[in-house]
Amino acid sequence: MKNLPVVLVVEDDKAIVHLLTTILTANNYRVLEVSTGREALATISSHCPDVVLLDLGLPDMDGADIIKSIRPWSQVPIIVVSARNREKEKVEALDLGADDYVTKPFGTAELLARIRIALRHTNTGNPDTPTGKAQNGRLTIDYDKRRIYIDDTEIHLTQVEYKIVMLTMLHLGKVLTYDFIIRSVWGARPTVNNQILRVNMANIRRKLEDNPADPQYIITETGVGYRMVDHLDA
Ligand code: CA
């Protein structure tokens, strides 16, 4: 038996469990399934799955409380599988330490891409002072020199703009909430709000993108935050 990545599906809707299990098994994942928060915590601690797909609406525990309970002792990637009308819950889940979310009803390709990204970036950590270079599509970031290039052309960014791009590169493929970005870049000064972040993002896109209205690098997750598209997965 091959050493397949293990996905823990935490979901109380049997139809969705069946759908997820079918998709995941067909794509070479081993699936564990539980339908309550209590079972989820027990299974993560006993089976150490490689990734967790977490429904926020479970019968016994609130999704946010489950994430809060997991994070002190496990860094397992958690992908929230959430209904579309629960934007606020998604943001809360991400700020509590979930890695990503997929909206119901989800597309198979989208879900599989999110899982691959979560697995690829497991244990890459979140170094405060990254070194060397990283590439994503045509974009290269030189962490030592604090410079950014598209192909071989240097893109001139302000300090704040650079920090935002660096942050999204360090979390390649993952959605970052507005609050997370603001806290990381400005240190949670209450004078900085989403509007200032949006202005910076508009400037970044003007400099970085061929067509700022249709960004290929940092995309908007409406009502939630921003995501650097992982071009390795394209
Ligand atoms: Ca549910």
Side-chain angles (χ1 to χ4, degrees), residues 37-48:
R38 204 173 40 79
E39 290 172 296
L41 295 175
T43 307
I44 291 167
S45 105
S46 60
H47 286 71
C48 298

Side-chain angles (χ1 to χ4, degrees), residues 51 67 78 98 111 150 159 164 192-193 226:
V51 59
I67 297 166
I78 300 171
L111 175 74
I150 292 285
Q159 287 279 329
I164 294 169
V192 172
N193 56 32
Y226 296 104

Side-chain angles (χ1 to χ4, degrees), residues 10-13 16 55-59 86 104:
V10 187
E11 172 66 75
D12 60 329
D13 182 329
I16 295 177
D55 173 31
L56 291 179
L58 295 167
R86 289 185 176 158
K104 287 176 187 169

